[in-house]
Amino acid sequence: MTYAGKWADFPAYILEITEEIWRDRAIETLNKYYAKDIPVRTPMGTQRGNQPVISATMSMLTEFPDRQGNAEDVIFSNHPEHGYLSSHRGVSTMTHNRDGQFGPGTGKRLIFSVIADCAARGEEIYDEWLVRDYGAIVRQLEWTPEEYARRLIEIDGGPEKTAKPFLPENDIEGDYKGRGNDNEWGERYADILSHIMTKDFAHIRRTYDRSMQGVYAGGKRAIGVGDALDFWLNLRSAFPSAKFEIHHQIGMDGGMLSPRSAIRWSLDGTHDGWGAFGRPTGKRVHVMGLSHAEFGPWGLRRETALYDEVAIWKQLHLQTGDL
C-alpha cells in the first residue's frame, strides 16, 4: 500500500521530500510539505509556521552551498487520530564556503548528525522537534560550544535581543498531542534511559553490547560500552538534581533492520554539578534530547543521542552574564 498515493511507504515519503528540499534545493516545496502554522521546536527556540523554516533553510544553504543530508533511519508508527509519527536520523556533510553566522568562510568540510521528530497527515508535516549537533559543527570550525554561544548573543545584538533558547513553559501548542506507541522496543529503551538517569550507570554494562557503537552530542564517537558510560555519566553529573522526563517514544521491529527505538527526552533543573558543562553555576537549564537505539542478540548495539551544547551554554551565559 502506498503512502498518500505517491510514495512507496511512509519512510519513502520522509526521505524523498527531504531530498527534494536539501539535495534538489526545491525549497518552495516547504509551502506544501510543512503546514502553514506548524510549530517547530529546537533547543535554540521555538518557531511558528513554515516561512521561518524556509528562511532558515536558505540561510544554511547560502553559507554551506554543498550541504547534503544522508539518511540513516526513519523510525515510525501510525496512530488513527494523530497520523504517522516519524523520528528521522541523518548525517549531514557540508563545506563552510561562505561568510555567515559561523563567521568568515573557512573552506572546512564538516560532518554532523541530526534527528527530527515529525507528525504527518497525508503530504503535510504539522509538528516537528529537531536537534542538530551544533556542538559538532562549531568544534570543526575551531570554536568551543561555550565560545560560540557567546558569539551568537553578540551577533544578535546582546542578551536583550538574542533569540531565547527553548524552555517548556514557552512551548508552542500544536495539534499533535500523542506520545508515540507502546511497542516493546520503545519500552526497553525507555527503561534503559530511566535507569541511567537514576544514576544506575552499571545498567549500561548490563544492557549494552560490550562492543556497541555510538554517536553522541559534540560529534563524539563511541566504540565499546565504556565510551557510552562516559557520555551519559558526564551529562548527568552536570545536572545531578535535574528532573528526567520521557516525552515521546516509538519502538519498531521490521524493514530488514534491527529492532529499534526513538525517544525524545529532557533534563530540566539546576546546573549544580561538575560534568559536561564545567564549574557548576547554580542556574536553571533545560536539555532537549533525541535518541535512537538499535538492539541485537547481546543488547543495545548502536546508539545515537543528541542534545545541543551551544543552546545549553547560551542558557547559562544569559543567566550568569558571562558574555
Side-chain angles (χ1 to χ4, degrees), residues 59-293:
S59 179
M60 176 71 80
L61 289 173
T62 297
E63 193 167 0
F64 302 93
D66 65 346
R67 186 189 188 280
Q68 295 292 326
N70 304 283
E72 291 190 305
D73 197 8
V74 178
I75 300 174
F76 71 97
S77 65
N78 191 8
H79 190 280
E81 179 183 355
H82 304 300
Y84 277 86
L85 319 171
S86 78
S87 191
H88 175 201
R89 184 180 81 249
V91 176
S92 292
T93 60
M94 60 190 188
T95 307
H96 187 218
N97 279 334
R98 297 198 182 113
D99 300 354
Q101 74 171 63
F102 293 98
T106 61
K108 292 183 180 295
R109 182 75 166 166
L110 312 180
I111 181 170
F112 61 98
S113 295
V114 183
I115 298 178
D117 280 10
C118 297
R121 296 189 187 99
E123 292 187 2
E124 190 175 79
I125 293 171
Y126 69 94
D127 190 280
E128 183 172 55
W129 297 76
L130 173 72
V131 175
R132 288 192 183 97
D133 189 359
Y134 275 110
I137 293 173
V138 301
R139 282 189 172 89
Q140 291 170 86
L141 293 171
E142 300 184 3
W143 301 83
T144 68
E146 183 178 5
E147 291 168 340
Y148 186 71
R150 289 193 187 98
R151 170 182 164 79
L152 276 182
I153 295 169
E154 179 184 356
I155 64 178
D156 283 349
E160 298 303 319
K161 295 182 179 179
T162 193
K164 300 304 186 285
F166 177 88
L167 293 174
E169 58 265 32
N170 299 328
D171 191 10
I172 300 172
E173 185 174 358
D175 290 340
Y176 179 66
K177 300 187 172 57
R179 294 182 62 89
N181 65 15
D182 58 0
N183 178 279
E184 64 174 300
W185 298 104
E187 293 291 340
R188 183 173 301 194
Y189 191 35
D191 182 69
I192 289 171
L193 292 183
S194 295
H195 273 83
I196 291 170
M197 291 301 176
T198 57
K199 291 90 165 179
D200 181 8
F201 298 105
H203 195 70
I204 293 174
R205 296 195 182 277
R206 294 193 295 268
T207 55
Y208 284 49
D209 186 321
R210 69 196 279 296
S211 299
M212 65 80 65
Q213 297 182 35
V215 176
Y216 295 121
K220 297 180 178 67
R221 297 295 189 268
I223 304 288
V225 70
D227 288 344
L229 197 156
D230 182 68
F231 167 77
W232 287 112
L233 177 59
N234 204 28
L235 172 64
R236 190 52 162 145
S237 66
F239 312 108
S241 66
K243 178 185 176 183
F244 171 70
E245 187 173 354
I246 290 174
H247 303 279
H248 198 272
Q249 68 184 55
I250 302 172
M252 67 179 300
D253 186 5
M256 298 179 67
L257 293 169
S258 301
R260 53 212 195 275
S261 173
I263 288 185
R264 175 163 49 86
W265 51 271
S266 69
L267 281 170
D268 193 285
T270 305
H271 177 218
D272 53 0
W274 284 92
F277 295 90
R279 181 185 297 276
T281 61
K283 302 302 182 182
R284 186 270 180 98
V285 167
H286 184 83
V287 180
M288 180 193 300
L290 292 175
S291 297
H292 281 194

Side-chain angles (χ1 to χ4, degrees), residues 38-51:
I38 183 175
V40 178
R41 301 87 160 184
T42 76
M44 287 293 186
T46 59
Q47 294 178 329
R48 169 76 77 177
N50 57 18
Q51 296 309 303

